[in-house]
Amino acid sequence: MTHVTEHPLVRGGRSAALATACVRGGVAAGLGLGALAVLVIAAWISSPYPDSGAGGALHLAAGLWLLAHGVDLVRTDTLSGLPAPLGVVPMLLVALPVWLVHRAARDTLDASDEGDRPRPSTSAAVAAVAGGYLLVAAATVAYSESGPLPADLTTAGLWLPAVVVGAAGAGAWTALGRPMPGQRQAAAALRAMGLGLVTLLGGGAVAAAVSLALHARQAQAAYTGLVGEWSGSVSVLLLALALLPNMAVWGAAYGLGPGFTLGTGATATPLGLAGDPAVPPFPLLAALPAEGRGTWIHWAVVAVPLAAAVLQGRRVGRSAGTWTARDTALTALGAAWGCGAAVAVLAAAAGGPLGTGRLAAFGPVWWQAGAATVLWGACVGVPVSLGVRAWGRRALRPMRKQKQKQKPVPVVAGAESGEMGAMDAPSPSPSPALSTAPAVLKGLLSGLVPAPGAVPPPAPSASGAGQTQPHDSGTAPEPAPARVGSDAGSGPGADLDPDGDRYGDPYGGRYTDPYDDSGFEPYDYLPAAWEPASPPPPAPPAPSAD
């Protein structure tokens, strides 16, 4: 009865949780779109010569929001009247929508916000958040079709869902504690891939910044030629800031070797700029290398992918202390492939068409940048990982030998003499317990175990403990020693253990187990180090001459 009553409640709670996740996705899309709309409306209001009304500003905001998701736009108001594509994505704009989707998915699976409501599964939460976000995105695509910058439907159907689902999946991964793969090789490959990617992009950003500083006059001249009023200066400055991550990707692609294209007939590599470039006037493009053969300054950019591959291989090698050489090489190769895939995606986003004809190709070629990254990782990262692994194993060998030398030597007892002895190679630093154990056991065994060749005394007769028994050899009888305990005269053989050896019973009775243990042995209870050993039994008196 309880199950029938609670099942609809649980089902309804999960449906409500999924509906809440869908609403969160829609709200995230609205926040990103609204933030860009506010910026565009502010620029339109402050402009002294607006070209269009508020509707044009809203269409421009919708186009920029779609462009931030990787969707190509189509410019219809060109001088030739032919539509021209616009596919270069300002990558800093991508951070806003990606962060909003990431936060929506993370909050959906966050245990601190769920209360008593059941939490949806990870896949359901990602699908609900992405579904709510894509509903708003579909409406925005439909709205942009009536403006001056309509969206390209092919890229909208490809890049838009990929970016949204990827950001939602990253948010769910964060909510779950950022778990790594259970296999150590896969986790090490992911960490090395991240390190190599960060190093590559950071080095590309440094190379681009140095080149822009060297061409500061050309950049200033291009900036002055574009801006007019203060509103135009702010707009150009914001666009340049949004394109700074693109510069980092361009610098990384330049150092990798393939470089980037400046139109369909020009390519810039460390070896030089070949062809006739078609470069529009923009401040950041002033950092491009000059025409002609490259110098040592251009060749020095090759140190960026070299450092990235070395750090990537070093990270794998330090994690491969107990791995085989084959597993280490495969892990380094997997890190190289992962880094190459990430660079290919970033290169595709950082470049694209800026028009038709010569500007149909502008920026890094994604497959060339990705292949060059894999090649650097395979040729440099794999040997470095194997070398670091071999060096680490070499450094561990002296430590293992030293530990084996310092291992304490066990103490053994003599099987025939009944005395304790040590091995030929004693421990260099024996513990106090080991140092006192031979003396204690020696004293104990000397009192309890008869010497080799000694004749055990006969058992006392039933007449009493003080009577003697004659021996078959004709020697004088030996008096039976008194037992230690309260029932010393309890019967013949009361002071003998099953093996016939005489000993003192500390429990004052027969050879019995005080704890009802059938496997009881007297040697299970040895005296402590501070207790004196039992004195040896008195020797029998010599027979008189009488």
Side-chain angles (χ1 to χ4, degrees), residues 171-229:
W173 179 63
T174 303
L176 296 177
R178 297 183 180 90
M180 298 300 291
Q183 191 177 6
R184 295 183 58 187
Q185 285 83 358
L190 288 177
R191 294 188 181 96
M193 181 200 74
L195 180 61
L197 184 62
V198 170
T199 306
L200 194 62
L201 295 179
V206 171
V210 170
S211 180
L212 186 61
L214 294 177
H215 300 82
R217 292 184 179 180
Q218 294 85 335
Q220 184 178 3
Y223 180 78
T224 305
L226 287 176
V227 301
E229 301 292 334

Side-chain angles (χ1 to χ4, degrees), residues 369-533:
T373 305
V374 175
L375 189 62
W376 276 98
C379 296
V380 179
V382 174
V384 168
S385 65
L386 293 176
V388 171
R389 169 188 171 273
W391 181 262
R393 293 170 67 91
R394 175 181 176 273
L396 289 177
R397 291 193 189 103
M399 298 178 61
R400 293 176 181 175
K401 292 181 179 180
Q402 185 177 4
K403 288 182 179 179
Q404 291 178 359
K405 290 181 180 179
Q406 294 180 355
K407 185 177 181 181
V409 180
V411 179
V412 297
E416 298 180 357
S417 62
E419 298 182 357
M420 302 301 297
M423 298 183 69
D424 295 337
S427 173
S429 58
S431 62
L434 291 178
S435 61
T436 57
V440 174
L441 295 180
K442 180 178 179 181
L444 176 65
L445 295 178
S446 63
L448 299 181
V449 182
V455 179
S461 62
S463 59
Q467 295 183 1
T468 59
Q469 296 290 338
H471 293 274
D472 296 339
S473 59
T475 59
E478 298 178 1
R483 280 189 54 118
V484 179
S486 60
D487 58 346
S490 59
D495 56 349
L496 297 179
D497 63 3
D499 297 332
D501 296 332
R502 187 180 302 275
Y503 66 95
D505 187 0
Y507 299 99
R510 298 176 61 85
Y511 180 72
T512 57
D513 175 22
Y515 300 102
D516 295 331
D517 186 6
S518 59
F520 172 77
E521 292 289 344
Y523 294 103
D524 290 343
Y525 299 91
L526 298 179
W530 60 83
E531 295 179 358

Side-chain angles (χ1 to χ4, degrees), residues 232-245:
S233 302
V234 173
S235 300
V236 174
L237 182 61
L238 290 177
L239 181 58
L241 291 177
L243 288 171
L244 286 180

Side-chain angles (χ1 to χ4, degrees), residues 27-51:
V27 170
L31 288 176
L33 184 58
L36 285 179
V38 168
L39 289 177
V40 174
I41 291 295
W44 172 74
I45 293 175
S46 60
S47 177
Y49 308 105
D51 296 335

Side-chain angles (χ1 to χ4, degrees), residues 273-345:
L273 177 60
D276 184 16
V279 180
F282 194 74
L284 295 183
L285 295 179
L288 296 176
E291 298 182 11
R293 183 175 299 179
T295 61
W296 66 270
I297 299 179
H298 304 89
W299 301 337
V301 187
V302 182
V304 173
L306 180 62
V310 168
L311 291 178
Q312 187 172 282
R314 180 175 176 269
R315 183 62 181 267
V316 174
R318 294 185 63 181
S319 303
T322 58
W323 302 349
T324 61
R326 179 177 178 273
D327 292 340
T328 304
L330 290 178
T331 303
L333 192 60
W337 275 99
C339 189
V343 169
V345 172

Side-chain angles (χ1 to χ4, degrees), residues 46-154:
S46 60
S47 177
Y49 308 105
D51 296 335
S52 59
L58 292 177
H59 279 92
L60 178 61
L64 289 178
W65 186 77
L66 293 175
L67 185 64
H69 294 79
V71 180
D72 291 350
L73 303 179
V74 180
R75 293 188 295 111
T76 57
D77 54 347
T78 58
L79 296 178
S80 62
L82 299 176
L86 177 62
V88 178
V89 180
M91 298 184 66
L92 192 60
L93 290 179
V94 182
L96 178 62
V98 165
W99 177 74
L100 290 172
V101 180
H102 177 278
R103 191 187 65 171
R106 182 198 62 192
D107 294 344
T108 301
L109 294 175
D110 193 359
S112 61
D113 297 336
E114 62 177 346
D116 298 333
R117 180 176 299 172
R119 187 177 65 178
S121 63
T122 304
S123 58
V126 171
V129 172
Y133 195 97
L134 290 176
L135 286 177
V136 178
T140 306
V141 170
Y143 176 75
S144 67
E145 292 296 327
S146 59
L149 293 174
D152 181 61
L153 298 181
T154 302

